[in-house]
Amino acid sequence: MFITFEGPEGCGKSTHSKRLKSYLEGKNLRVLLTFEPGGTQVGKEIRTLLLKPESVLDETTEVYLFAADRSEHVSKIILPALGEGKIVISDRFIDSTLAYQIGGRRLPEDLVRYLNMVSSKGLVPDLTFLLDVTPETGLKRATQHGSADRFEREALDFHRRVRDSYQRIAKDNPDRVRIINTEDRPIEDIQNQLRQVIDEKL
Ligand code: TYD
């Protein structure tokens, strides 16, 4: 089973993906938790290029770098782990590219969808948690422990388009994508909802 966590800045993906991993391991399931961008050796360097504020990237270059990171990630980490029968959880995957590069950057949809298809080798998650939060709350959370990265420095309007784009993805994929509100709820409450969804799916 392949599960992804998606959402705008500061939506709580890392906290909840880690907790969900522990929960599943508590059921004696084998789980690999990974992330994009940067889940591979080469990906680490690509991640630095993408996130450091000093990088001045053409928007097309940016989407190619995300695609390159994903090609490595899918072929070297995700597919082998799925092949070994593990549950794979990825913090960000194809929907991030749709939301950020089409919604946020306004790149042509056909280009981004094509790159997604090639870089993911056609792999589509079985289940996607879309953790939803307003950009105001999310950016505050995301930047409270350190300086803002290249994306976190984008204007509020960019982040609004990303969030709207995610909502559209959820609407278009109701069987795969579950929207989870993380705006003003206790972490335990959110985690319990995720566990319920997973238990149903298992
Ligand atoms: P991430 O490490 O998840 O940052 P955070 O946990 O702070 O949200 O992701 C890094 C950034 O990369 C994030 O701002 C979203 C962006 N991104 C894209 O724009 N396109 C993509 O395809 C992916 C995977 C991430």
Side-chain angles (χ1 to χ4, degrees), residues 62-96:
E62 181 183 281
V63 75
Y64 289 159
L65 287 173
F66 279 115
D69 174 73
R70 180 160 310 125
S71 297
E72 286 295 300
H73 193 214
V74 169
S75 61
K76 304 220 170 110
I77 307 282
I78 300 178
L79 289 179
L82 289 173
E84 289 165 17
K86 290 183 181 151
I87 293 178
V88 176
I89 303 176
S90 185
D91 183 338
R92 297 198 182 281
F93 195 60
I94 45 174
D95 298 315
S96 284

Side-chain angles (χ1 to χ4, degrees), residues 49-62:
L49 279 175
L50 282 163
L51 296 192
K52 64 177 179 187
E54 313 85 73
S55 282
V56 182
L57 296 176
D58 174 85
E59 284 150 8
T60 316
T61 311
E62 181 183 281

